Amino acid sequence: MDAGSWAYGAAAPGLKAAAASVFLTLGLAGSVAAAETTLLALGDSLTHGYGLAEEDGFVPQLEAWLQARGHDVEVINAGVSGDTTRGGLSRLEWSLSPEVDAVIVELGGNDLLRGIDPASSKANLDAILTALCEKGLPALLTGLPAPRNYGEDWQQAFDAMYPDLAETHGALLYPNFLAGIGGLEDREAGRALMQGDGIHPNAEGVKKVVEGIGPKVEELIERVRAQD
């Protein structure tokens, strides 16, 4: 399947709306009682909740899952549909509001779909993680498995960048964001958990994604508490 037919990103108007949503979310964060731990989810449409009612998206479902397990936590949605690693880097600074304690970095899917040189993607993610380290913010880096569309060398370079960067920066690693529903490499098994585009999880799919990544996010919260 070609990149254009299963891109995570929405059209430009959708991206603008998503960005506006992020600004609004960050702006309202200070108007409510502060949670013990505040996580920033920096990502693309998989984080943003493309095609879903707001309450069914990744961030609200993750926050609810964590709270149900006794965590006093707020998760800020800094996902923008269509964003690449370069886009995530460009908006990192303004996304890091003062209350943020740790960051989930879910980027690279759109780089993959556009065939961007993995070296460029790695450099952008490296810059993001470097900035988080400098600010003393623990990070959870999530990846996606690359298909073979661009050849074996490209695939190996893309797949290797996530564990390499996590090791370099001491970040937590969740290798496949979609592992809870079988991941990109097993579409048939997870078809009932996907939206009509075959790319984005539906509400039940997001639930499975959250159940998969949730324990790793709990590890991220523990790192925050260990710093206190």
Side-chain angles (χ1 to χ4, degrees):
M1 189 175 296
D2 62 59
S5 66
W6 56 290
Y8 298 137
L15 192 154
K16 293 178 180 178
S21 175
V22 172
F23 276 115
L24 179 60
T25 301
L26 295 175
L28 291 177
S31 65
V32 297
E36 179 182 359
T37 304
T38 300
L39 307 178
L40 179 78
L42 181 74
D44 52 35
S45 57
L46 294 174
T47 291
H48 177 241
Y50 174 82
L52 298 171
E54 182 177 356
E55 64 272 15
D56 291 331
F58 171 71
V59 168
Q61 288 209 47
L62 175 62
E63 183 177 271
W65 187 91
L66 293 168
Q67 291 176 351
R69 291 173 62 85
H71 298 287
D72 181 9
V73 62
E74 176 188 7
V75 186
I76 297 175
N77 191 342
V80 172
S81 294
D83 220 358
T84 60
T85 56
R86 181 179 180 182
L89 175 60
S90 70
R91 59 189 174 85
L92 176 64
E93 286 300 322
W94 63 258
S95 297
L96 290 173
S97 49
E99 71 272 17
V100 171
D101 298 305
V103 180
I104 301 168
V105 181
E106 179 276 304
L107 290 165
N110 287 301
D111 298 53
L112 184 162
L113 295 171
R114 299 177 189 185
I116 294 172
D117 184 352
S120 176
S121 302
K122 186 175 184 178
N124 292 328
L125 290 172
D126 180 66
I128 289 172
L129 294 173
T130 296
L132 297 180
C133 286
E134 291 174 348
K135 294 178 182 295
L137 295 173
L140 167 58
L141 180 63
T142 75
L144 286 172
R148 300 177 181 177
N149 302 42
Y150 307 113
E152 185 176 351
D153 290 344
W154 195 101
Q155 179 187 31
Q156 290 179 351
F158 186 90
D159 287 346
M161 72 179 179
Y162 292 105
D164 288 350
L165 288 168
E167 181 177 3
T168 297
H169 294 280
L172 292 170
L173 175 66
Y174 190 69
N176 183 355
F177 183 81
L178 297 175
I181 54 175
L184 294 178
E185 74 279 5
D186 189 10
R187 290 186 179 281
E188 288 302 316
R191 185 169 55 183
L193 299 173
M194 303 298 283
Q195 296 182 43
D197 61 8
I199 303 307
H200 299 88
N202 57 28
E204 186 62 24
V206 172
K207 179 182 178 182
K208 296 296 185 182
V209 169
V210 167
E211 291 172 352
I213 198 174
K216 188 61 69 172
V217 178
E218 289 184 303
E219 289 185 40
L220 183 64
I221 293 172
E222 287 303 314
R223 288 198 173 187
V224 172
R225 291 173 179 167
Q227 292 181 335
D228 294 340

